Amino acid sequence: MSRITQSLILVSLAMAGNEAIAAPNDTEAYYLCAHKITDNTSWNFGTAPAYCDIEPFGDPEFVRTYLAEIAFNTAQPTGDERARYMNALNATIRDGAAYYLSVRKPDASAAEEEAWVEAIKAVANQETFWSHYRDAVVDGRMKMMRGDSGHGHGMMQVDDRWHFARINEGKGWQIFENMLYAMEIFYSEWQNAAQASCLSAPDNWSERTRAAYAAYNGGPSRICRWHDNPVWQDEGFLGKFQAKSWLNYIANLDATAPVDVACMLEGVEFCVPEYVPPAHSIDNPETPWQYNYLELTSGEICLLENGGFHCVLQQQDAPCLNAMFDRVSIAQAIKLDQTQSDAYPKTVYEKHQCLANLENSFAVGQSVVAEKATNIRHTAAGTDTQHDAVVGKVYQILDVVAGTPADQSRYYRIRYATDAEGYIYAGGVRDFSSWATAASHESLPDSDKLIAMTGDTLYVVNAQGIPVKDAAGEQGAQIGKFEKGDALEVHSTQSMGEHNEIYYEVSTTALRGFIYSGSLLPSSDLASWTSFEAPEPETPPTPEPPVTEPPAQQDSGGGSLSYALLLLLYVVRKRRL
C-alpha cells in the first residue's frame, strides 16, 4: 500500500464515520445547483432525472480533459452512447472496487473480491443507475447527477444533509472521491455483516451484501433489516442485485478502464490513463512509442527520446517532459513489460527540475500578481473554496502542478488567508500573462512571506539546531551545525521532492552551506525550523530554594557532613531537572 493510499483511505474512513452519526444539516434543496436540467433524462443507466453544473464544486475542464470517457455525452444517440458509457464505467467501477479491497483487506479471497465488486456495482445501480457526469448539449456545460431533491450528489449519492463538510471538500463531484467515500462506509458495514446474527454464514455473499446495504442505507443498527423487517429500499436493492441489469449493456467485461483508476483513488488528479496501442501495420507506420507516454514496470512515466527513457516519478508531472523535449504526446500511457522497460537507459528527473521546463512558468518561492479574480480550489482541479484571488494582489507560490500537456497549463498553490491555502489556474504557454504575472519578492507583504529568498535573513528556531551540509538534499555531507537563535543570510532557495522540501543556501560569518527548513505539503512546517524573526531568548529556570528542615541528630559517624552532602546532592539534582 502506498503512503498516499493509506493516508487517504484512513482519513476518509474517519470522515465517513464521524459524519454518518452527525445530525442532519439543514441544507436547502438543490444546494448550489446551477443550470439544472431535466430534459432528455430518465431513470436509466447514465441518464438520471436531474443534473446540475459541476461548478462551483469542481473544475469542469478537468473533467472534459481527463474524465471525458466516463461522462455521458448527450450529443450522441442515446442508445449508442449508453453502450459506450456502460463499458467504460463498468471497467472503472470494477477496477476501483477491486483496488480498494486490495488495500483495505489484502488477504481477501478471490470469492470475496468478486462478491465485493458485484456489491459495489449493485449499490451504484440502486443509488443512481451508474449516473455521474453528463456532458450536456443543451447548454454545453459539464454537469453531475443530483438526486433526492438535489441533496444526493453523484453516483453513490453522498447526501449534503449528513455529509455537508465532505460535500464541500469534493466527496460529491469528483467521481473517485465519491466512490471512495461511499466504499469506506459500505466496507465498514461489510465487515460488520460477517458477524451479524441474520447471516447463515460469513461467506454467504448474497446475504452479506444485503446486510451491508441495509446498514449502509439505514445505519449500523439496521444491519438485519433486510431479514427481519425489510423496507422498500431493501426490496429494490435485492431486485437490482439479482437482475444485474448492467450486464445488458456491456460487450466486454474485461475491457481496460479508460482512466488510471488506482492513480485516481490514490489522490493524484492528473493521472495518465493506460493506453493499448494499435498493432504496427501499413496503416500505422509510425512507432507508437514515439507519440505516447510510457509507463515502466518500476512505475515511472517516461518519454523515449535520444535513445533513452526520460522519466518522472509522479504521473501528474508528466507534461513537463513534453516541455523539456518540445513534444506533444497523447495523454495516455503505454504500459511496458519488463523486457521493454529494460530496453533503454533511464533518467529520472526530480519534480521541480523537470517543471522548470514549463515555458513562462514560475517556481516555488517566486511571487506573482493575480491578473484575474479566478476561483481558488482546494486542489488543482478540485473543489472550490468559495474564495477568489484578489486582482492586483501579490501571492507567493507554494506549489506548482502541471495540467494538460498540449498547452502546458499550470496551477499555483497560494496562501489566501491565515492558515488557508488553495490553487489558482494560471493559464498555459500562450495565455499565462492573462492569469498571473511576475512580482518581486520585495513587493510581497512581510506577513505573506512564507519562503525566504535571496537576500533575506532567517533565524534558526529549531531547539536542536539545524545541520549544515555541503549540498542540498539527502546526498549532502554534514560540515557543521547552526544553533537556535543563529542569524543566517539566505543566498539561494531550492524546492525538492513531492512534498516540496525547502533547502536554503545560507551563511554566517563563520560557516556557509545548505540547510533543510521543512516541507510545504501537505501542509507547511517551515515555522518549526526557521523564522524571519529572532526567537525569544529563553529565561533560565529559577533555582529551588534550599531546604530549611532542621538537621537530623548527629551521630559519631560524622552526621553533619553526611547531611551537608545529601543537601548538596538534592540541590544539584533539582537544578539538573
Side-chain angles (χ1 to χ4, degrees):
M1 183 194 310
S2 74
R3 181 174 63 253
I4 295 174
T5 304
Q6 185 179 38
S7 175
L8 181 63
I9 285 178
L10 290 177
V11 168
S12 295
L13 179 59
M15 289 177 174
N18 288 341
E19 291 227 6
I21 60 174
N25 187 77
D26 187 20
T27 314
E28 64 188 39
Y30 288 99
Y31 167 65
L32 295 181
C33 174
H35 304 102
K36 182 177 76 170
I37 61 169
T38 56
D39 297 339
N40 299 318
T41 59
S42 62
W43 271 123
N44 205 335
F45 288 101
T47 57
Y51 289 81
C52 305
D53 284 359
I54 288 175
E55 288 189 296
F57 295 105
D59 183 358
E61 290 309 309
F62 167 75
V63 177
R64 290 188 190 279
T65 303
Y66 287 90
L67 302 177
E69 292 296 318
I70 54 175
F72 197 98
N73 185 357
T74 59
Q76 303 300 318
T78 300
D80 295 343
E81 177 61 7
R82 180 169 288 121
R84 182 208 66 79
Y85 174 84
M86 289 298 290
N87 277 272
L89 210 61
N90 177 68
T92 300
I93 297 174
R94 176 201 67 207
D95 290 358
Y99 180 74
Y100 173 88
L101 190 66
S102 73
V103 172
R104 292 294 269 127
K105 196 173 185 179
D107 59 346
S109 66
E112 181 171 5
E113 179 183 325
E114 181 181 358
W116 167 262
V117 171
E118 292 302 294
I120 297 303
K121 289 181 181 180
V123 173
N125 187 172
Q126 171 75 356
E127 297 297 328
T128 63
F129 281 89
W130 292 21
S131 304
H132 194 86
Y133 294 129
R134 179 184 179 93
D135 196 349
V137 71
V138 174
D139 59 9
R141 296 173 180 272
M142 185 64 74
K143 301 182 184 294
M144 70 173 180
M145 187 272 170
R146 298 284 287 274
D148 195 8
S149 298
H151 293 297
H153 294 240
M155 184 168 64
M156 309 302 278
Q157 289 293 274
V158 181
D159 195 303
D160 56 36
R161 291 167 295 189
W162 292 94
H163 309 275
F164 184 75
R166 305 291 82 81
I167 285 294
N168 289 316
E169 291 172 359
K171 299 298 186 288
W173 81 272
Q174 216 272 28
I175 188 170
F176 292 98
E177 292 198 32
N178 185 284
M179 288 177 61
L180 178 59
Y181 191 63
M183 285 192 293
E184 281 292 350
I185 300 172
F186 192 80
Y187 177 77
S188 177
E189 306 306 342
W190 178 266
Q191 291 295 90
N192 291 337
Q195 289 80 41
S197 61
C198 50
L199 259 67
S200 60
D203 60 354
N204 186 321
W205 304 118
S206 175
E207 293 181 352
R208 189 158 169 182
T209 299
R210 296 176 68 185
Y213 177 75
Y216 175 85
N217 175 259
S221 65
R222 303 292 191 271
I223 201 162
C224 286
R225 184 185 69 184
W226 65 279
H227 181 271
D228 301 336
N229 187 26
V231 296
W232 68 266
Q233 290 96 334
D234 298 312
E235 300 297 338
F237 178 76
L238 176 61
K240 294 180 176 65
F241 176 67
Q242 291 177 332
K244 294 179 172 51
S245 299
W246 55 84
L247 295 175
N248 297 331
Y249 302 94
I250 299 168
N252 182 6
L253 290 171
D254 299 318
T256 300
V259 293
D260 189 332
V261 175
C263 177
M264 287 287 185
L265 285 177
E266 288 183 359
V268 179
E269 288 183 303
F270 301 100
C271 297
V272 179
E274 185 178 335
Y275 172 61
V276 179
H280 184 81
S281 67
I282 294 175
D283 295 329
N284 180 41
E286 301 292 343
T287 304
W289 284 22
Q290 299 292 334
Y291 299 96
N292 293 272
Y293 293 122
L294 308 172
E295 182 177 352
L296 307 186
T297 53
S298 49
E300 298 92 347
I301 295 294
C302 312
L303 290 180
L304 178 61
E305 188 75 23
N306 299 324
F309 292 133
H310 297 266
C311 313
V312 288
L313 294 175
Q314 295 188 116
Q315 294 199 22
Q316 69 181 30
D317 300 326
C320 70
L321 297 172
N322 296 82
M324 182 181 295
F325 296 106
D326 193 23
R327 291 261 296 274
V328 178
S329 297
I330 299 172
Q332 294 179 309
I334 300 173
K335 200 164 188 175
L336 305 186
D337 60 27
Q338 190 63 58
T339 300
Q340 294 169 328
S341 297
D342 295 337
Y344 295 95
K346 175 178 67 176
T347 302
V348 180
Y349 297 94
E350 192 274 329
K351 167 186 174 179
H352 299 274
Q353 177 189 9
C354 186
L355 288 173
N357 291 280
L358 294 177
E359 190 174 349
N360 299 319
S361 183
F362 301 104
V364 170
Q366 291 184 294
S367 298
V368 293
V369 176
E371 301 294 341
K372 291 186 179 183
T374 183
N375 53 344
I376 303 172
R377 301 185 183 277
H378 287 290
T379 60
T383 305
D384 199 335
T385 63
Q386 306 301 308
H387 293 270
D388 294 337
V390 178
V391 175
K393 180 175 173 59
V394 179
Y395 296 96
Q396 189 168 43
I397 297 173
L398 308 179
D399 187 33
V400 180
V401 174
T404 53
D407 65 354
Q408 296 183 33
S409 60
R410 69 292 309 261
Y411 302 80
Y412 298 139
R413 184 181 179 96
I414 60 170
R415 177 164 292 186
Y416 60 89
T418 304
D419 296 328
E421 298 175 6
Y423 288 81
I424 57 171
Y425 175 71
V429 66
R430 295 176 182 82
D431 65 345
F432 73 97
S433 61
S434 300
W435 298 87
T437 53
S440 67
H441 183 63
E442 290 71 27
S443 64
L444 190 67
D446 288 344
S447 59
D448 293 338
K449 289 182 180 179
L450 302 176
I451 307 168
M453 302 296 283
T454 303
D456 283 335
T457 298
L458 283 177
Y459 296 89
V460 177
V461 296
N462 190 282
Q464 287 71 46
I466 304 178
V468 185
K469 296 187 175 184
D470 60 2
E474 296 181 358
Q475 73 278 8
Q478 185 169 339
I479 57 175
K481 185 178 182 182
F482 293 128
E483 301 296 342
K484 182 177 180 180
D486 285 350
L488 314 174
E489 181 183 354
V490 178
H491 300 284
S492 66
T493 303
Q494 295 183 51
S495 179
M496 294 184 174
E498 60 182 289
H499 298 295
N500 291 3
E501 298 166 351
I502 298 298
Y503 291 87
Y504 295 122
E505 182 185 10
V506 295
S507 69
T508 62
T509 55
L511 183 62
R512 179 167 178 159
F514 296 84
I515 62 168
Y516 170 75
S517 188
S519 61
L520 296 169
L521 301 176
S523 59
S524 174
D525 65 349
L526 268 60
S528 300
W529 295 86
T530 58
S531 172
F532 289 99
E533 298 181 356
E536 293 291 333
E538 295 184 1
T539 304
T542 304
E544 293 286 339
V547 178
T548 57
E549 294 179 3
Q553 185 176 359
Q554 297 182 10
D555 60 23
S556 59
S560 60
L561 179 60
S562 299
Y563 172 76
L565 188 58
L566 288 172
L567 179 60
L568 178 61
L569 290 174
Y570 175 80
V571 172
V572 170
R573 177 176 177 272
K574 293 293 285 183
R575 285 178 176 172
R576 286 179 178 173
L577 293 176

